[in-house]
Amino acid sequence: MKFAEFATFKMAYEEAGSGKPILFVHGYPLNRRMWQPQIEALSQDAHIIAPDLRGHGDSTPTAGVYTMQLLAEDCAKLLDYLNIHEKVVLCGLSMGGYISFAFARQYPERLAGLILTATRAAPDTQEGKLNRQRSIELAKEQGIDPIIEAMLPRVLSPTTLENNPALVQTVREIMQQTSLEAVLGDLQGMMERIDSRPFLNQITVPTLILHGKDDQLIPIEEAEAMQAAIPHCQLILLERAGHLPNLEATEPFNQAVREFIKNL
Ligand code: MLT
């Protein structure tokens, strides 16, 4: 792990391998460790960069709203810091996908391809916003543990929950490395995020959507709708995987990424 020092915070990141750069952007409330199987396996094929977003994992927190644009800017700053000026493949999971849309809007010239994992282009519904507000209040009152315990049974597939307690524990421990500031900042930022659906037909880079068949948080229909709207887009549904398909169906996930980048 290394740190990039920025004016307002220190960003931790992992870097491995060489070749085409792939920037892996984690979801909420996670950190770069969720990409460990990809860092290990895909560094044979590509130059992997996996940051901890501000306030997550080993990156220092800041107070305030973590808008998707702000987090996308942090990712671009990391690329500048690392002197990566060639086009990158951006792989974002869930909130990382929301950030990928913000990045694609702000820096289209920096993109070689997009991998959208377990994410959606639609904004929060009214009910979704109310749930976020409740989570903000709960986290302020009781800290992040109740948020994590409520999320765990929904973030993983029934197969994982039943057969892989070690993975459940790993995901819990990764989530516990998130600061309260980041949980509050992410929730507010996700709640305020704009509708990315009108932008989908302007995505010109090759795009791969990877989605777990048993995702309980984001239904498959969201992935299908994105595929229908993005011009050069392939959708792969992963068996026995929930909202974290890179951890629950690691081999098919990695294989799909390998194939995708080979053809870019
Ligand atoms: C995530 O995994 O990043 C979150 O579940 C996304 C969300 O809450 O919308």
Side-chain angles (χ1 to χ4, degrees), residues 9-25:
F9 79 106
K10 254 175 31 173
M11 190 175 216
Y13 65 94
E14 211 73 62
E15 200 182 11
S18 60
K20 280 179 198 151
I22 310 186
L23 181 66
F24 283 94
V25 184

Side-chain angles (χ1 to χ4, degrees), residues 26 99 148 156 211 238 250-251:
H26 63 76
I99 296 164
I148 294 172
L156 296 161
H211 207 93
L238 297 162
T250 300
E251 234 350 278

Side-chain angles (χ1 to χ4, degrees), residues 10-154:
K10 254 175 31 173
M11 190 175 216
Y13 65 94
E14 211 73 62
E15 200 182 11
S18 60
K20 280 179 198 151
I22 310 186
L23 181 66
F24 283 94
V25 184
H26 63 76
Y28 157 88
L30 294 155
N31 62 59
R32 69 179 199 283
R33 291 183 175 92
M34 64 156 287
W35 299 115
Q36 199 53 42
Q38 283 65 48
I39 296 170
E40 279 163 23
L42 297 171
S43 55
Q44 315 291 326
D45 308 87
H47 175 186
I48 311 287
I49 306 117
D52 286 345
L53 296 168
R54 57 171 77 203
H56 301 74
D58 293 303
S59 291
T60 53
T62 56
V65 183
Y66 291 13
T67 64
M68 301 303 105
Q69 293 95 300
L70 178 70
L71 299 176
E73 276 165 29
D74 291 344
C75 291
K77 272 199 226 157
L78 178 64
L79 294 176
D80 291 341
Y81 176 88
L82 295 173
N83 256 318
I84 298 176
H85 298 295
E86 66 183 292
K87 294 180 184 220
V88 302
V89 177
L90 187 53
C91 175
L93 181 135
S94 200
M95 181 180 78
Y98 311 156
I99 296 164
S100 302
F101 288 129
F103 188 100
R105 267 194 298 275
Q106 279 172 254
Y107 313 103
E109 73 290 349
R110 296 192 86 149
L111 272 189
L114 263 183
I115 304 175
L116 300 169
T117 301
T119 195
R120 53 157 55 104
D124 279 1
T125 58
Q126 274 316 316
E127 192 195 344
K129 287 185 185 174
L130 272 177
N131 287 334
R132 301 245 194 243
Q133 203 53 56
R134 282 194 203 105
S135 298
I136 288 173
E137 274 145 35
L138 182 65
K140 279 185 183 162
E141 280 163 22
Q142 297 181 33
I144 66 166
D145 281 346
I147 307 263
I148 294 172
E149 293 311 317
M151 240 186 127
L152 272 174
R154 303 189 62 223

Side-chain angles (χ1 to χ4, degrees), residues 163-220:
N163 303 318
N164 198 345
L167 181 54
V168 179
Q169 185 55 20
T170 299
V171 174
R172 174 182 283 115
E173 285 169 12
I174 293 175
M175 288 180 167
Q176 286 168 341
Q177 294 160 347
T178 313
S179 66
L180 177 61
E181 288 95 327
V183 165
L184 300 176
D186 288 349
L187 286 166
Q188 193 70 42
M190 289 192 285
M191 189 160 80
E192 291 177 12
R193 76 184 190 281
I194 63 165
D195 188 353
S196 288
R197 288 172 299 187
F199 163 75
L200 295 179
N201 66 4
Q202 293 162 44
I203 297 177
T204 52
V205 291
T207 301
L208 171 66
I209 299 178
L210 296 169
H211 207 93
K213 273 198 173 166
D214 302 326
D215 192 326
Q216 303 178 68
L217 288 180
I218 302 190
I220 290 172

